[in-house]
Amino acid sequence: MKTSARPGARGTTSRLGLQAPPAGRDAPAPRTRGAAGARRPAPLEGRRYTPTRPAPGRPEVRQRWLIGITAVIVLVFVARLVQVQVIQGPALAADAQAARLATAVTPAHRGDITDADGVVLATSVDRYTVIADPVAIKDFRGHGRVDARGDAVQDGALGVAQLLGPVLNIPSAELAAELVGDSRYVVLAKDVVPRAQRAIAELGLRAYIRTDLVSKRTYPAGTVGAGLLGFVDGDQTGQAGIEAAYDDALAGTPGEETYERSRDGLRIPAAAQEYTPAVPGDDVRLTLVHDVQWKAQDAVDQAVRDTGAAYGIAVVQDVRTGEVVALADSGAHDPNDRSTAAVAEPSRAVTAVFEPGSTGKVITMAAALETGAWEPGSRFTVPDRWTAPSGQTFTDSHEHPVERLTLAGVLAESSNVGTVMAGEKIPLQTRQDYLAKFGFGQLTGLGLPGESAGIMPPEDVGRWDLRTRDTVLFGQGVAVNAIQATAVFSTVANGGIRTRPTLLAGTTDDEGQESPAARPDGERVISTGTADTLLHMMEAVTDEGGTAANANVPGYRVAGKTGTAQMWLEDGRQTYMASFVGVAPADDPRYTVGVFLRSPKSSIYGGEVAAPVFRDVMGFTLQKMDVPPSDEKYRPMKTTW
């Protein structure tokens, strides 16, 4: 093959126009054809040509990489598995279980309130609140079920309403509308009775409908004792009266049930569960007697109607024990009716305070006899108006000529002037001490919410003004509640021993174990002799010529005292509290009855408006409690000289 070259050219060009590489040590060797016609690179000049072949594969390297990567991945998974199952395992398991756990609170049955004979005045009944979960109801399926009418049960809210509506007595269409929405809690019905609750349970809708047990407080006696019993709130906590005063005993302790549930809300039968039973509250037995309480309320209601009084109060107390047998307010509201706030009003017998008026003269007479200042037959010349050494002038309730009265006559005639005259021999500190001894200015011990301790003049008698020094002798310048005023007479009737009033007879736990209420020892206020003499003097009040002949109870001797006390209103106007407090039988005292009427329009005198109410209540009480008639005749005391 011929070649041609141009001068200065780095290589040569073939006839085909291809440029040959320049000669030199780095020039590639010319290619030659092999036997098969394939081109082979031409050997380099001065160097033997060795053909280049690819290096053989190394699979062991790739295997090592794959094994390493796999090992790393496995280690990651193992580490994560150890973290999840070993390190975090207990916590995650606890969290998962907690998510499945549900706790249901079991309300404790609130104890009953009964009268002294076991008549139920307040009790609790089981009721249920029906609650729906509209979000869960979206997934409800009828699955071929039929409703009470035989119709196929639809899916969703309409199907649940088909099943539930007849039980709740709610039209299905109306109920279905309440079951639609994104809320998880919709109250469908309250106060559902146990029979209806059982019917709901039989529907198999637990994943969508639940029934929560609640307790409802009822008062079978209606208005009897209503102002005294109080009421409970939605949580069954006492809010007034006995319900609040003895709430700790009545309430009991709620129980708890903790269990595991599935995603659809059903209880998992084989799962662990914990149950703490509820402890029922104690039954509280009061000293009240239902029939006497009813009579006292009826009597003061009638008196309010007859006299036009703003309200009336009646208290019946056992003189031997201090137990309150009846405590009645006029116009008592039925605690079963919560439509007004009247159910929350406390008893006026402990909240309303007033000057005792002439009933307070009994304390003055007790001090006069006990200190030896005077005797029942001590003589006084009593005008209807008199100026005391202090310069203060006092008058009786009505004009009268000068009367010659004994100390017993001063009490029987309820003379303010005669009482102030007798008080001249009673030091100021003694007057203060006897007011306190008889319980004025102190809580009675009943424990009722809202109770007032009353109003006393300053403890330092040196601070008493000139008029208060004498007005306390006839029940003015000091204020008490109805219980305090009544308890004075019970102290005298109990031989001079003051026993704190009480409403609690005892409690009974859920096992039937009775616990009588503790009774503190009585406190002697005056001697037995003084008490007997004073009680005899009070009999003259109900005798002919006394201020309370209307208080006599046929067959029984009665001792007592009338009262007409001024009451000042917030607007500065004046009204009156007419009262009578008495004891029977006077020869063997058993009961004290106090009657108080505020602002009577027919008469302001206790002997005219309160004494007849006393007669009715005391007569009923004596017969109800089987108290025999008096067997000793009354021996009148001299009231004049």
Side-chain angles (χ1 to χ4, degrees):
M1 179 179 297
K2 293 182 179 182
T3 60
S4 63
R6 290 179 299 177
R10 295 184 57 185
T12 60
T13 303
S14 68
R15 293 175 63 185
L16 297 177
L18 299 175
Q19 183 178 354
R25 55 183 303 187
D26 293 329
R31 295 185 179 181
T32 62
R33 293 182 181 270
R39 291 179 179 273
R40 291 187 301 175
L44 298 175
E45 293 182 2
R47 181 177 180 184
R48 187 179 179 180
Y49 172 74
T50 301
T52 302
R53 296 180 179 179
R58 300 181 65 186
E60 66 275 8
V61 175
R62 292 193 297 269
Q63 290 174 356
R64 291 191 191 102
W65 275 102
L66 289 174
I67 292 172
I69 293 172
T70 302
V72 171
I73 294 174
V74 170
L75 286 175
V76 170
F77 277 100
V78 170
R80 180 58 177 164
L81 187 62
V82 170
Q83 181 186 20
V84 171
Q85 291 196 349
V86 178
I87 300 175
Q88 296 180 334
L92 292 174
D95 291 343
Q97 186 181 38
R100 297 192 304 271
L101 289 179
T103 299
V105 177
T106 306
H109 180 83
R110 189 173 179 84
D112 293 347
I113 301 175
T114 71
D115 81 340
D117 299 323
V119 177
V120 177
L121 303 176
T123 189
S124 294
V125 294
D126 289 341
R127 292 293 183 266
Y128 294 85
T129 299
V130 181
I131 301 167
D133 182 349
V135 173
I137 288 174
K138 295 177 182 179
D139 298 328
F140 172 77
R141 297 296 177 263
H143 294 307
R145 297 178 62 176
V146 294
D147 61 17
R149 300 169 54 183
D151 297 332
V153 174
Q154 304 298 312
D155 294 339
L158 183 57
V160 174
Q162 283 180 261
L163 298 171
L164 188 61
V167 179
L168 298 180
N169 197 27
I170 301 175
S172 297
E174 179 182 335
L175 181 58
E178 297 186 49
L179 300 177
V180 176
D182 296 326
S183 173
R184 303 302 302 260
Y185 187 96
V186 174
V187 176
L188 301 179
K190 294 182 179 180
D191 293 336
V192 174
V193 298
R195 182 175 59 183
Q197 187 274 338
R198 290 192 295 270
I200 294 172
E202 292 172 358
L203 295 175
L205 299 174
R206 188 168 182 176
Y208 317 100
I209 303 294
R210 82 171 196 249
T211 54
D212 288 353
L213 175 65
V214 294
S215 186
K216 182 179 180 181
R217 199 66 166 168
T218 63
Y219 300 87
T223 60
V224 176
L228 181 62
L229 295 174
F231 71 106
V232 298
D233 61 15
D235 295 327
Q236 298 297 293
T237 301
Q239 295 298 306
I242 296 296
E243 295 278 23
Y246 300 106
D247 186 64
D248 290 343
L250 291 164
T253 304
E256 282 190 355
E257 182 181 10
T258 301
Y259 59 91
E260 291 188 41
R261 60 184 177 181
S262 62
R263 293 183 62 184
D264 58 4
L266 297 178
R267 184 191 298 261
I268 301 175
Q273 51 186 301
E274 296 181 3
Y275 178 66
T276 303
V279 179
D282 293 345
D283 293 340
V284 169
R285 184 166 61 89
L286 303 180
T287 60
L288 298 180
V289 176
H290 175 277
D291 291 353
V292 178
Q293 178 71 29
W294 168 83
K295 179 61 180 179
Q297 288 185 210
D298 183 70
V300 293
D301 281 340
Q302 186 62 49
V304 167
R305 290 191 292 268
D306 293 343
T307 66
Y311 62 77
I313 303 170
V315 180
V316 182
Q317 186 179 22
D318 188 322
V319 302
R320 300 178 180 181
T321 63
E323 295 177 346
V324 176
V325 179
L327 194 159
D329 291 277
S330 62
H333 185 80
D334 188 346
N336 293 300
D337 179 9
R338 307 296 176 79
S339 61
T340 70
V343 69
E345 294 177 359
S347 173
R348 298 188 188 96
V350 295
T351 60
V353 295
F354 49 87
E355 292 183 335
S358 292
T359 60
K361 293 173 182 174
V362 172
I363 297 178
T364 301
M365 297 299 166
L369 296 172
E370 186 74 7
T371 60
W374 305 102
E375 296 180 352
S378 297
R379 299 177 176 182
F380 297 88
T381 301
V382 183
D384 62 353
R385 177 182 295 269
W386 183 68
T387 300
S390 62
Q392 300 295 307
T393 299
F394 301 95
T395 62
D396 279 339
S397 60
H398 60 281
E399 295 182 359
H400 61 78
V402 174
E403 296 177 326
R404 297 193 296 180
L405 302 175
T406 64
L407 186 66
V410 169
L411 183 63
E413 293 289 337
S414 195
S415 171
N416 293 341
V417 171
T419 302
V420 174
M421 288 179 170
E424 288 302 309
K425 293 178 66 174
I426 303 175
L428 293 182
Q429 189 60 54
T430 301
R431 302 177 194 184
Q432 165 81 350
D433 292 344
Y434 271 81
L435 291 173
K437 284 182 178 182
F438 276 95
F440 286 10
Q442 307 163 38
L443 295 176
T444 63
L446 291 181
L448 292 176
E451 179 179 349
S452 172
I455 302 172
M456 283 278 282
E459 188 174 350
D460 180 4
V461 296
R463 296 171 54 197
W464 289 11
D465 60 67
L466 294 178
R467 192 159 188 82
T468 299
R469 296 179 180 186
D470 291 323
T471 58
V472 296
L473 296 169
F474 53 86
Q476 294 185 10
V478 60
V480 298
N481 61 41
I483 297 291
Q484 291 171 320
T486 302
V488 170
F489 291 76
S490 293
T491 298
V492 175
N494 194 35
I497 297 176
R498 177 182 167 223
T499 57
R500 287 187 173 274
T502 181
L503 280 164
L504 181 64
T507 59
T508 304
D509 63 22
D510 62 312
E511 296 181 353
Q513 184 67 38
E514 296 185 7
S515 300
R519 291 285 185 270
D521 294 335
E523 176 186 355
R524 181 164 291 283
V525 176
I526 54 178
S527 65
T528 302
T530 296
D532 291 344
T533 299
L534 183 54
L535 197 64
H536 196 187
M537 290 171 61
M538 287 194 293
E539 283 193 81
V541 175
T542 62
D543 196 13
E544 292 184 10
T547 59
N550 291 329
N552 281 308
V553 179
Y556 297 90
R557 288 168 55 182
V558 175
K561 185 69 189 75
T562 55
T564 301
Q566 295 174 331
M567 294 182 67
W568 295 98
L569 304 178
E570 294 181 357
D571 59 4
R573 293 183 297 114
Q574 177 181 289
T575 187
Y576 294 91
M577 179 69 82
S579 61
F580 180 84
V581 186
V583 177
D587 51 321
D588 185 16
R590 287 294 309 280
Y591 295 100
T592 302
V593 173
V595 177
F596 309 86
L597 296 173
R598 174 179 167 171
S599 307
K601 294 181 172 60
S602 59
S603 172
I604 64 172
Y605 299 111
E608 296 180 9
V609 294
V613 183
F614 165 90
R615 179 185 61 220
D616 291 346
V617 175
M618 178 62 85
F620 182 91
T621 302
L622 295 173
Q623 293 181 22
K624 171 66 181 177
M625 307 306 288
D626 296 323
V627 178
S630 298
D631 56 7
E632 294 183 16
K633 292 184 178 181
Y634 166 61
R635 301 185 309 277
M637 279 187 168
K638 291 193 64 174
T639 58
T640 61
W641 57 278

